[in-house]
Amino acid sequence: MAERRPVLRSHHGDDFADEYEWLRAKEDPEVVTHLEAENAWTHAQVAHLAPLRTAIFEEIKGRTLETDLSLPSRDGGYWYYARTVEGRQYPIHARYAVSGPDDWTPRVLEPGEPVPGEEILLDQNAEAEGHDFFSLGALDVSDDGARLLYATDTAGDERYTLKVRDLATGETLADEVRDTAPGAFFAPDGQHVFYLTLDDAWRPYRVWRHRLGTPASDDVVVFEEPDERYWVGAGLSRSKKYLQIELGSKVTSESWLLEADDPTGEFRVVWPRREGVEYTVEHAVLPDGAPVTGDALLVLHNDGAENFELVVSPVPAPGETVTPGEASVVVPHDPAVRLEGVAASARYLVLHYRRDAISRSGVLRLDAAPGDRWAFDEIAFGEPLETVGAGVGVWEQPNLRVGVTSFVTPSAVYDYDVATGTRTLLKQQPVLGGYDPAEYDSRREWAVADDGTRVPLSLVWRRDKVVPGEPAPLLLYGYGAYETSIDPYFTVPRLSLLDRGVVFAVAHVRGGGELGRHWYEDGKLLRKPNTFSDFVACARHVVEAGWTTPDRIVADGGSAGGLLVGAALNLAPDAFAGVIADVPFVDALTSMLDATLPLTVVEWDEWGNPLEDPEVYAAMKAYSPYENVPDDASHYPRVLATTSFNDTRVLYVEPAKWVARLRAAGAPALLKIEMAAGHGGVSGRYARWEEIAFEHAWTLDVLGLA
């Protein structure tokens, strides 16, 4: 039990006594001692589940081909891939030389067998040695194949150390830069490196240029964004003709370009930012008959087009900018189709979009001489709930790589012949132990929210363990923020639940992007409560439809999804038998009131600014899980919250305070905290499997299946 030490918080005439804010003092030994005691308490409470945790870990391990290779991808004169080795936590990155300019089909590499001509680029296991946590934030090879650029984080705080390695000698060069953001890359000349740094709020805001062989103190800032709402990113166009800087708030974006053969030149803006207008740009080379011939920019934007439209514009010269209103519309706005991205290669274009809550991809051949309206050929595999993604790869690649997965189909990658539509399977995720997708089933249903809105719900189960209409234990997952969509996906660890008769369900609540931009807008800012009531409606639906009963539902959500399940818990504690909240954003109002915290200012466009707006303050206080724990929560279901001490996105103090308040009110709440990890949790695949086994065992215990 944490001590109560009230601290008065006063805003807009409202006073709130925060009894557990003292847990924010991360450097205070008393706080650390309390967190360690929380861990000890949690492990004591679940000690009886140790055999089950071990069994689940072994199931995950037993279904996973531990020594395996990724599908090689060609870039320049090499095929690049990663491989894993049984017993090792992290991948090994390697390459082998192409056999010639027309070598576009990767070799069939047998796991565990030597790869002829293999060259090891980076062994993450060696880099991680001696560290409890390891994360890779950049991995790039210069165009001439001579040098490797990589960035590592060994604390979990997402501040990376940038290094350069000579691949011929294995020597690590003196070009080291500390405290960088993820995403560094080489310019095509191989002599200049571009990287980003973070401000005190962990916001990428500066783009730097470094010349190899010079000290980091000589590096040049090529772009700086002072507006705290905007995050900055940088990269190279797929054509490698342009260096690009992209920046965006939650509602506004802006792009800058520079010819890649002039890395010391000045970037120029493509389309000056306008509040509320978002856009992305993609360089393409278009044939005769297109609205623009030769070098062009494909601009996907939402200016007057809620679900976005695609226009084509000439590349602006120095001193000029794109004016989308005067550009040629090639894919017009459609209220039923959310355009999400476009990618170009030398031979074709790929459009990514969403229709009927399903992610889709379409391809357009450039030799078909596209006119004023472009019709993309949709790529589908025939499953009603499937996720299809077409990857363009490098600029010169003649065919597409198409990935497909579903709730029951392990991820597969196909070579897609753009000219003929022929598909050739290149690799499918192996599942050991005789997995048969025919033993499982999935479907889409629709719950009805309080305001009459129909909310999509996806379900997957094992046929011989669950009969639709006969109640079974059920895990209900949700997220519902940032226009993030939870698409159908396969995962080995989920089988340990399905094979024990658990139904896995995804509530596609408002605040996500499944049904287009309006679905997102209807679940943010002052309409955020729709997200929570949608989730409760989904919980009620699976009971009314006969899938389960309230005493056999566990709710699950992480980060903003942790806010979702925490708020739903307060709204309808009777709807759940248990709640898992991973790195949960459960003290949302306190965080949004502190502009000095990482991400707060950036997040105001998503949640509102309670510092300045009393209406936003009142709305957030009405749903924030921490403030709304009742004095008597003894009727609440079991709660498991997980967090990481070095998390910079959702600070550990949020779930620590929430659990303290829940427990003081009589709720059976546990806190599990990783003392050497970040927002993504532990690093290393075996450590991750152990974490999953811990949560699965707890879930099965709540559901009466332990």
Side-chain angles (χ1 to χ4, degrees):
M1 300 293 289
E3 279 189 37
R4 301 187 186 199
R5 303 176 186 175
V7 175
L8 189 64
R9 185 187 74 199
S10 298
H11 292 277
H12 308 297
D14 176 70
D15 294 332
F16 176 71
D18 193 337
E19 297 173 324
Y20 302 105
E21 179 62 13
W22 65 272
L23 292 171
R24 190 176 299 276
K26 184 177 182 180
E27 306 302 324
D28 186 338
E30 188 178 8
V31 171
V32 175
T33 298
H34 172 75
L35 296 176
E36 290 172 342
E38 286 279 15
N39 267 345
W41 173 252
T42 295
H43 286 290
Q45 295 302 301
V46 299
H48 65 289
L49 297 176
L52 179 58
R53 289 197 297 271
T54 299
I56 294 172
F57 176 85
E58 292 299 332
E59 288 168 11
I60 297 171
K61 188 170 179 284
R63 288 186 171 113
T64 303
L65 186 61
E66 296 177 72
T67 298
D68 199 7
L69 307 97
S70 68
L71 183 66
S73 296
R74 180 175 166 178
D75 191 2
Y78 295 90
W79 287 96
Y80 292 88
Y81 58 97
R83 58 182 177 84
T84 55
V85 177
E86 183 176 353
R88 298 189 188 179
Q89 292 271 21
Y90 301 98
I92 299 167
H93 301 272
R95 69 181 181 183
Y96 64 85
V98 302
S99 61
D102 296 326
D103 177 14
W104 288 103
T105 303
R107 295 181 198 159
V108 177
L109 303 180
E110 294 297 332
E113 296 295 322
V115 177
E118 180 181 73
E119 180 184 356
I120 301 296
L121 303 176
L122 186 74
D123 183 346
Q124 288 188 220
N125 300 284
E127 299 293 328
E129 193 170 338
H131 301 287
D132 293 331
F133 178 89
F134 180 82
S135 174
L136 197 62
L139 189 71
D140 192 28
V141 178
S142 58
D143 272 10
D144 61 6
R147 286 166 295 279
L148 174 74
L149 175 70
Y150 66 103
T152 61
D153 167 21
T154 55
D157 61 0
E158 300 184 48
R159 290 182 183 264
Y160 294 81
T161 298
L162 196 63
K163 299 179 182 180
V164 180
R165 179 173 295 173
D166 185 310
L167 292 174
T169 66
E171 176 191 5
T172 299
L173 306 182
D175 303 80
E176 180 175 297
V177 185
R178 295 182 178 275
D179 293 330
T180 70
F185 63 97
F186 280 111
D189 67 359
Q191 296 300 311
H192 292 90
V193 170
F194 287 84
Y195 65 91
L196 295 99
T197 55
L198 304 146
D199 64 12
D200 291 339
W202 263 258
R203 176 182 67 98
Y205 79 118
R206 280 180 179 160
V207 182
W208 297 75
R209 184 182 65 242
H210 170 81
R211 183 174 179 84
L212 294 187
T214 64
S217 57
D218 291 347
D219 292 355
V220 177
V221 176
V222 299
F223 187 88
E224 180 173 344
E225 176 52 56
D227 191 328
E228 294 178 275
R229 298 176 302 159
Y230 288 81
W231 276 38
V232 179
L236 192 62
S237 69
R238 189 170 283 101
S239 63
K240 297 189 177 181
K241 185 166 184 177
Y242 295 99
L243 301 166
Q244 295 182 249
I245 293 173
E246 296 183 342
L247 54 145
S249 69
K250 300 297 181 187
V251 297
T252 308
S253 58
E254 188 174 73
S255 293
W256 295 64
L257 291 181
L258 171 64
E259 280 69 19
D261 59 4
D262 182 24
T264 62
E266 296 291 328
F267 283 85
R268 61 186 185 276
V269 66
V270 174
W271 181 14
R273 72 187 74 172
R274 256 180 43 219
E275 188 70 19
V277 174
E278 301 167 63
Y279 72 94
T280 59
V281 298
E282 174 84 351
H283 172 239
V285 178
L286 301 180
D288 292 340
V292 176
T293 301
D295 285 323
L297 291 183
L298 308 177
V299 183
L300 195 69
H301 73 90
N302 69 339
D303 188 17
E306 182 184 47
N307 271 343
F308 289 72
E309 68 178 8
L310 182 64
V311 302
V312 177
S313 170
V315 178
E320 298 180 355
T321 60
V322 167
T323 306
E326 299 174 2
S328 299
V329 178
V330 290
V331 180
H333 174 261
D334 184 337
V337 178
R338 167 69 161 94
L339 303 184
E340 296 188 321
V342 64
S345 80
R347 306 185 184 204
Y348 47 81
L349 308 177
V350 173
L351 187 67
H352 304 287
Y353 51 98
R354 185 172 299 279
R355 187 180 68 247
D356 298 329
I358 296 293
S359 175
R360 306 168 192 271
S361 293
V363 61
L364 176 72
R365 290 170 49 188
L366 289 176
D367 60 7
D372 293 337
R373 289 292 184 269
W374 293 354
F376 288 78
D377 294 328
E378 188 165 297
I379 305 169
F381 287 79
E383 288 192 65
L385 296 181
E386 65 181 11
T387 301
V388 177
V392 171
V394 296
W395 182 254
E396 305 87 357
Q397 188 170 307
N399 290 341
L400 271 173
R401 288 272 181 92
V402 177
V404 60
T405 186
S406 74
F407 287 117
V408 301
T409 304
S411 301
V413 180
Y414 290 81
D415 181 85
Y416 181 88
D417 189 314
V418 177
T420 65
T422 302
R423 306 166 188 181
T424 303
L425 179 65
L426 297 175
K427 185 177 179 65
Q428 185 159 31
Q429 175 187 359
V431 183
L432 306 183
Y435 174 75
D436 181 1
E439 294 178 350
Y440 303 83
D441 202 356
S442 64
R443 74 167 62 162
R444 167 68 47 78
E445 294 192 0
W446 297 81
V448 179
D450 293 343
D451 62 0
T453 299
R454 298 176 74 240
V455 182
L457 185 68
S458 299
L459 302 107
V460 57
W461 66 94
R462 180 163 169 155
R463 293 176 186 268
D464 63 345
K465 298 287 186 178
V466 176
V467 177
E470 296 183 9
L474 184 144
L475 181 67
L476 181 63
Y477 177 81
Y479 188 73
Y482 306 113
E483 204 176 1
T484 298
S485 300
I486 308 300
D487 291 317
Y489 65 100
F490 179 86
T491 175
V492 163
R494 187 193 297 139
L495 297 177
S496 292
L497 296 178
L498 300 182
D499 288 354
R500 287 175 170 84
V502 178
V503 178
F504 179 77
V506 178
H508 303 283
V509 296
R510 281 174 282 186
E514 283 88 346
L515 290 174
R517 174 51 64 92
H518 81 280
W519 197 247
Y520 168 51
E521 298 284 355
D522 214 24
K524 65 181 289 194
L525 299 173
L526 293 176
R527 295 196 288 274
K528 189 64 197 172
N530 287 335
T531 304
F532 316 132
S533 57
D534 283 359
F535 192 79
V536 173
C538 288
R540 304 292 194 206
H541 172 86
V542 292
V543 171
E544 293 164 2
W547 285 102
T548 189
T549 54
D551 60 343
R552 302 176 81 186
I553 300 178
V554 170
D556 184 11
S559 195
L563 166 65
L564 167 65
V565 296
L569 170 64
N570 288 333
L571 281 177
D574 64 312
F576 312 103
V579 171
I580 297 178
D582 291 314
V583 292
F585 186 43
V586 284
D587 193 15
L589 179 56
T590 304
S591 294
M592 289 299 101
L593 285 168
D594 188 348
T596 67
L597 289 178
L599 306 185
T600 290
V601 175
V602 173
E603 295 285 311
W604 282 340
D605 283 334
E606 179 79 17
W607 312 101
N609 181 352
L611 268 176
E612 303 295 335
D613 191 330
E615 189 178 11
V616 170
Y617 177 90
M620 292 195 73
K621 189 178 181 187
Y623 69 66
S624 184
Y626 177 62
E627 278 88 345
N628 289 283
V629 174
D631 292 337
D632 180 6
S634 58
H635 59 295
Y636 270 38
R638 291 164 62 181
V639 174
L640 172 64
T642 70
T643 187
S644 299
F645 193 53
N646 293 326
D647 193 339
T648 59
R649 301 192 184 204
V650 179
L651 302 186
Y652 75 89
V653 68
E654 295 204 25
K657 288 171 60 177
W658 183 52
V659 166
R661 190 172 173 88
L662 282 167
R663 193 179 296 135
L670 298 176
L671 176 67
K672 180 174 179 285
I673 179 168
E674 294 295 337
M675 300 303 289
H679 191 62
V682 294
S683 64
R685 56 178 178 163
Y686 295 105
R688 178 59 183 152
W689 295 346
E690 288 174 350
E691 191 175 68
I692 292 171
F694 185 96
E695 294 189 12
H696 278 8
W698 183 89
T699 297
L700 292 169
D701 192 39
V702 172
L703 295 174
L705 298 174

